[in-house]
Structures are given as structure tokens and as C-alpha cells.
Amino acid sequence: MYDVPNTERDTTVNDIKISANKVQVYYGEKQAIKDVDCEIQDKTVTAFIGPSGCGKSTFLRCLNRMNDTISVCRVEGSINLDGEDIYDKRVDPVQLRAKVGMVFQKPNPFPKSIYDNVAYGPRIHGLFKTKAELDDIVEKALRRGALWEEVKDRLGDPATGMSGGQQQRLCIARAVATEPEVLLMDEPCSALDPIATAQVEELIDELRSNYSVVIVTHSMQQAARVSQKTAFFHLGNLVEFDDTSKIFTNPEDPRTESYITGRIG
Amino acid sequence: MPGLWLVLIVLALAIAGYVIGRQRALQSGGGNSRALHSLPRFYGWNVAIKVLLPAFIWLAVWSLVQTIIVEKTVSGIIPKEEITIGLEGEDLDLALKVIDANHSLRMAEMRRTAEGLNYLIAADLLTEDEAQNLTLDKVDVEKLLKDAGQVVTGEIIAPVLKASQRKLALDKRADIMKSIFIIGVALAFFIYSVLQSHKDYRARNSVEFMILGLLVLMACIAILTTVGIVLSLAFNTVEFFSIYNWTDYLFGTTWSPRSGAGTHQPLGLLPLLWGTLYISIIALVVAVPIGLFAAIYLAEYASPRVRGFVKPALEVLAGIPSIVYGLFALITVGPMLLDIFGNSGIGIMPGARSVMTAGLVMGIMLIPFVSSLSDDIINAVPQYLRDGSYGLGATHSETIKQVILPAALPGIVGAIILAASRAIGETMLVVFGAGAAGKLSGNPFEAMTTVTAKIVSQLTGDADFTQPEVLVAYALGTTLFILTLALNFIAQRIVNKYREQY
Ligand SMILES: Nc1ncnc2c1ncn2[C@@H]1O[C@H](COP(=O)(O)OP(=O)(O)O)[C@@H](O)[C@H]1O
Ligand SMILES: [Mg+2]
């Protein structure tokens, strides 16, 4: 892609990475997502906000088919990644998840060493030929995760012994190591203290230059700080989806306004 | 008065106490339960427990003391008349032991005779006076007892009969005193606690305290009996090693006890230990892979419907008594193996009983044990670890291999060690499946035997507890106890470590 000189970052128009059409999600009989249309741009941070239980996580998990692991969950409609329907029968969810990485609410490093955690994805997908190449991938991923300086001397230590903030950055590095195109983050800072949160937010801003990032958050300040696009969900509906600055200064829907001013939630 | 009546009277007092205590407390509060310190039922329980608990504790103590005193008194009647003049050193020791053993046999016969007479009196076949006046020259007491369906094992000699008559008389007197005493205790506490039942009395606290006391009492009984068992094991083991060389036991490579052969017979532990370990290893080789893979299937792949059916089914399998598996080994597996490896086949299996027979069947027996424990452990691996792995594009089996099993490994190892300690302690299956000859051999199709099976065989039949070939059973028991204790200890340590893992 060639560079378009542009001074206002919020109005940069990037390619569409993911587009969802008429997505419905059911847990058994219960409908959790209703008729959601949404387009997620490349090299952009998109925030999902909304009251608890409105379906943010559910919709996020549709984007890499993590919902497949829940037996009662059923998804209708279509979601395209680079123009290809990810719910098509020919698509292997396992390969899809290598392309669409995910970071969870609770930091979930495996009970292995720091090195093995980061090397997990590359090993599974066979992304290297020599040990030196793997070392390189691990180092790069840890640098992307803004963790390298802190852990470079103790890569063999168990990951479960790190602080919560470090664990979450490790999980981000672990996701980055498989070289995904999209990174999904489900409330990645909700278990972290303010300093660790600031570090992760900074990291998200840096990741934007390489990936399309989708972040679910319950903190409106965080959405305003890190995202360029914001989607507001309410009771399973996508109520409003627009530039972050517009959502927070001049929302169109009265429900969005009441939520961001603190009247529903 | 028979003991049953005594218990019923105390119970009746307690029930009456409950009603009266509750009633009195309510009355003192003017019929308004809110005026009482505690709920009315606590006043009832306060009386009932205070009647029951001391009465039953005293009943237990009295009965115990009574038995001891009566036995001591009558044991003098049965003579220890064997001649020990001219005996010295080891011979004297042995003679004294024999005398003691004979004496205790006669005491046992005395107890049985007393019981038999008691029965005759209860069945109105004898009056009490007649029972006291029985003499051997006029009546055939043995025949009398046998005709009434009572057990007579030894010869009833005159001193035994006399002692049993004396025991009857003493017991009768003591029983009357016991009844009076116990009812007295119950009544005293009844009156005391009924008087306590006043609206200001803190009945709830008192009941809570007594319940605590009751629980502590039960816990003490549980601990003390365990300590008692271990002590008696230790005591008899020391006894064994005082007459048998411990190096011969620990490092001896032959096991062939002969009754009456004294301290110079080969009672080597090694063949038995080898048999135990050999069978256990074969059992684990069978049980661990099958059980573990079954557990992985159940925990990770099975639909809730399959799981809901298979899991209880496995637990039923785990509940089958080991003697049934023993029959299975003896009747089905042994002959089947013999067809293949016996003289009509390869020719390395002399008989149906072998290490392989017992090991295979024990392995089958342990499968549900291993799978059920492993299933719980795999299920305990948190979902977020699975999500993390799926989120990176790992497949189901990769996730199991790379994340779930490593995380569950310490727990699974703990489960395997628990299974091993069960295998080592198993008895009935071995008696049926493995044979009876202690042997040090590498051929798994030969009959060998185990520590547990030998404990059984050394103690069955005419067991003379002064002989090393009988006392060795206690040494074997101690060995086994230490072995399984160590295994359980290791398992516990590993399982605890695993708790800290995530
Ligand atoms: N595994 C599940 N099974 C059944 N219902 C679920 C499951 N996960 C979420 N839900 C339901 O779907 C709705 C949306 O949940 P979720 O997407 O987690 O909301 P959010 O992340 O916005 O708080 C909720 O009503 C929730 O109860
Ligand atoms: Mg959520």
C-alpha cells in the first residue's frame, strides 16, 4: 500500500479487513447477537463498547470462530476476512485462528517457560526451520510485546511467575508470534492495575501500524484513548458504529448518548 | 437386667427429658418463645444430650473395667501348672511362652463355656443354681453345650468349668450394680439439666459445646484405633525380630517356611517383594495407558450424553469386589493364557496361575480407578488455558498434548502412584491368580506370590504366635505398611504441588 500523506489520523481510510453481514448468534434458544453489520478496517484499532451482557465478547469470538468451541453456540449470517467467508465449509478454523489472533480477559499464559509460551504458535504452525530462526521469532514477538528488556535474561522461567501486566503482554507477544493479520482483545486490561494498563494501551497503539486490532472494553476512557473506530452494542444490537471522536462527542443514537454519559450501563 | 433394657431406659429418659426440658423453659418464659435465651428445642436437646452422653460413656467404661477385673479374678482358677524346673535360657523362655499360650487358650475356652451356660439359662434349659452346681463327674457338660448348638472347641476340664461358673456369678452381680449405677447417672443428669431449663439459661451455647465435644470424642476414637493398630503391628514386628535375624528377613532370597522349624528356616522377603512389584508393574502397564486414554476421551471428546453414561459405568466397575476379579483371573484369564503360553503352546507357562495372569486382571481392575481420577484432574485444567491454545490456532489434539496433559501431569502422576499403592496392597486377586510359591524369577508366566498373599497364608490354620513362621506375617505387614505409606506420601506431595501450578 502506498502512503497517502494525511495529517488527521482519524480520517485515514484503510482497506476493509473484516466485514460482517446480518450476523445472528444463538446460545441454544437464546439470541445473543441480532442482525449485526459491521466493517473493520486494516491498521486500525476498533473498540467494542456497551453494557455487560450486550454481546461484545460473543461478537468478537465470531471473528475467529472461537464460538465453535462452545457446543450450544450457533452463528448465522456471513463474516468475510479479506473478502472470504470465514464460515464457509472449506475454511479451517484452526488456520483462521492463526490469522486472527486472540488475547483474553484474564492473562492465560500456559504453565510453561516464557520462551515456550511465545514459541507455542510458531511450533504448531511450523513457522521456522532452525532453532536460531525460532529464537529470532521469539525475540521479535517479545519486543513487539514490549517485554523483551524485562525478560531477556530469564526466558526459561515459568510464565506463571510473572506479574499480571507482564503475563498479559506475554499473551499479546504470544499472539503476535504467529504473525496474525488481526488481533482480537477481549477486555485485555480488566485484570490489570493502572500502570500495566497504560503499558498495554501503549502497546496496542504500536500494534496498529502492523495489524488490525479489535478491542472489547468496558472503559469508555480506554476506548477513547486507543481506538479510531468505536462500535456501541446494546442488547445484542449494534446500535452505532463510527469514528471514535464522533461517538464520544456527537453520537446519533439516544441510547449511545445515555450510555456514554453514564445513564445506562 | 439385659443390656438392651438398660439402653432403652436411658433412651426413654432422654426423650422424656427433651419434652420436659423444652416445656419447662417455655413455661419460665410465660409461653412466649421470644422471651427465652435460645430456641425452645435447644432446651430439649440440652437435657437429652446431658442424659445420654454421660450414661453411655460410663456404660462403656464400666463394661470394659468389669471385663478386665472379672478375667483377672477367674484366671487364677485355671492353673499354670506346667513344669519348668531344670529349664534354662532360651529353653526356659520358650517353655514360658508355651505355658502362656496354653493358658490363654484355656481362658478362651472358659469364655465360651460361660457364654454357653448363659445361653442355656436364657433358654430355660438350666436354672442358675443348676448351672453353678454343674460338675464334670455328674454331667457331660460338653455334650450339653453342643446339643444346645453352642461352640465347644477345646476340652472342658474341671478348672475351666469352675472358672466359667465363677465368671457367671461375678458378672451377674456386677451387671446389677452396673444397671443401678447407669440409671442413677442418667437420673442425676436428668434432674440437674431439667432444673437448668430456665429462660435465662444459655441452652444453645451449651448444646453447641456438647456437640463439639461429641465430634472431638469421635475423632479421638478414630485416631486412637489407628494408633492402636499401628502399635500392635509394631509390637509384634519387634517380637518377630527378637527371635529372627533381620538381615535374613530383609535380604533373604528364599521363602520356604516350615511349621515348627524354629528360627533357622528361610523367611526371605525378597521373593515376595519381587512378586508384589512384578505384578504391580504389569498391572500399571495395563491400567495406565488404557485408563489415561479413556479419561482423555471422556474429559475432552465425549458428548455430555456419552459421559453421563460411561462415567457412572466406570464407577460401577471400580466398585466390583476384588474377589470377583480373582475368580475372573482363575477361571478365564489363567486358562486362556495357558492355551497360548502353556505346554500346548509356546511352553513357557507351567500353570494357569502366574504373575501375568494376576497382573493383567489387576490392570483391568485398576483401569476405572486410573481413568476416574485422571478424568477429574483433566477436567480441573482451567478452560482459559484451552481457549489460549485454540486462540493460537492449535487443534484439539495439539491442545491436549501441549497444554492440557502437561498441566495435568503432576496430578496424573499422583493418580498413578495411588493406583500403584492399591496394586501393592491387593490380596484376594493375587491369592487366586498368582499362586502360592515365593520365587525370584524373571519369567512372568511363572507362579509367584506376594507379600499380602503370604500374610494370609501364614496366619490361617493353626497359628502358633510364638513361632517365627507365624510372626513373620507382622513383619510383612509392617513392610507393606511402610511401602504404601511412602507411596501415598509421595503422591500427596505431587498432588499438592500440582494445586499450586495454575
Ligand atoms: N457460553 C455461553 N452459553 C450460554 N449463553 C452465553 C454464553 N456466553 C455468553 N452467553 C450469553 O450471551 C449474552 C452475551 O454475552 P457476552 O457476549 O459475554 O456479553 P459481554 O461480553 O458484552 O458482556 C449474555 O446474555 C450471556 O448470558
Ligand atoms: Mg465479555
Side-chain angles (χ1 to χ4, degrees), chain B residues 216-363:
Chain B
V216 170
L217 185 75
M218 295 303 160
C220 286
I221 291 176
I223 293 168
L224 284 180
T225 46
T226 315
V227 170
I229 290 170
V230 172
L231 277 184
S232 92
L233 198 59
F235 179 78
N236 286 297
T237 306
V238 169
E239 178 94 5
F240 170 70
F241 285 123
S242 74
I243 58 173
Y244 195 85
N245 192 344
W246 66 272
T247 47
D248 287 352
Y249 168 75
L250 270 187
F251 306 114
T253 53
T254 34
W255 171 270
S256 62
R258 282 183 308 272
S259 121
T263 61
H264 301 297
Q265 49 185 319
L267 296 175
L269 169 69
L270 290 182
L272 307 186
L273 201 59
W274 170 242
T276 299
L277 295 181
Y278 207 170
I279 292 174
S280 304
I281 287 168
I282 292 177
L284 290 181
V285 166
V286 173
V288 170
I290 299 179
L292 193 56
F293 289 138
I296 292 173
Y297 167 72
L298 272 187
E300 291 293 322
Y301 291 95
S303 69
R305 258 189 48 216
V306 173
R307 209 181 135 74
F309 169 75
V310 175
K311 186 123 208 235
L314 273 177
E315 253 130 53
V316 167
L317 266 185
I320 295 178
S322 62
I323 187 117
V324 177
Y325 285 100
L327 289 174
F328 178 57
L330 187 67
I331 290 165
T332 315
V333 177
M336 222 166 67
L337 286 176
L338 198 59
D339 277 348
I340 305 170
F341 299 101
N343 287 331
S344 53
I346 300 176
I348 50 172
M349 189 170 178
R353 291 177 193 218
S354 73
V355 168
M356 190 54 87
T357 315
L360 283 181
V361 178
M362 196 188 285

Side-chain angles (χ1 to χ4, degrees), chain B residues 477-493:
Chain B
T478 306
T479 313
L480 204 61
F481 176 64
I482 292 173
L483 207 62
T484 46
L485 196 69
L487 277 180
N488 280 331
F489 182 73
I490 295 170
Q492 203 61 53
R493 286 288 293 270

Side-chain angles (χ1 to χ4, degrees), chain B residues 192-203:
Chain B
Y192 168 68
S193 53
V194 163
L195 288 180
Q196 270 183 337
S197 304
H198 183 265
K199 72 177 168 51
D200 292 331
Y201 180 67
R202 291 143 67 97

Side-chain angles (χ1 to χ4, degrees), chain A residues 61 64 66 69 94 97-98 100-102 104 106 108-112 120 124-125 160 174-175 178, chain B residues 304 383-396 398-399 401-403 406-407 501-502:
Chain A
R61 292 163 64 91
N64 69 343
M66 273 300 276
T69 62
V94 165
R97 288 184 204 132
V100 185
M102 187 152 195
F104 298 83
K106 188 171 183 289
N108 59 350
F110 303 129
K112 299 170 182 287
Y120 187 84
I124 280 181
H125 299 292
T160 38
R174 187 175 72 181
T178 51
Chain B
Q383 182 62 32
Y384 59 73
L385 287 183
R386 297 186 173 106
D387 284 346
S389 178
Y390 294 142
L392 289 169
T395 63
H396 202 157
E398 280 165 346
T399 302
K401 205 175 98 206
Q402 310 278 353
V403 175
Q501 186 111 42
Y502 33 81

Side-chain angles (χ1 to χ4, degrees), chain A residues 1-3 9-18 40-46 82 144 180-183 204-214 226-229:
Chain A
M1 211 179 78
Y2 49 89
D3 259 348
R9 84 174 199 196
D10 281 359
T11 52
T12 311
V13 177
N14 287 315
D15 298 342
I16 305 295
K17 191 71 188 168
I18 299 177
I40 289 162
Q41 294 176 8
D42 202 6
K43 306 206 191 310
T44 306
V45 177
T46 306
D82 293 330
R144 286 255 174 83
E181 295 162 21
V182 181
L183 257 185
I204 292 170
D205 201 49
E206 283 166 26
L207 292 172
R208 180 165 65 96
S209 54
N210 289 299
Y211 311 101
S212 159
V213 178
V214 185
V226 301
S227 71
Q228 290 78 52
K229 291 276 187 180

Side-chain angles (χ1 to χ4, degrees), chain A residues 118-131:
Chain A
V118 182
Y120 187 84
R123 278 185 178 140
I124 280 181
H125 299 292
L127 299 180
F128 59 93
K129 286 198 195 68
T130 61
K131 174 83 169 67

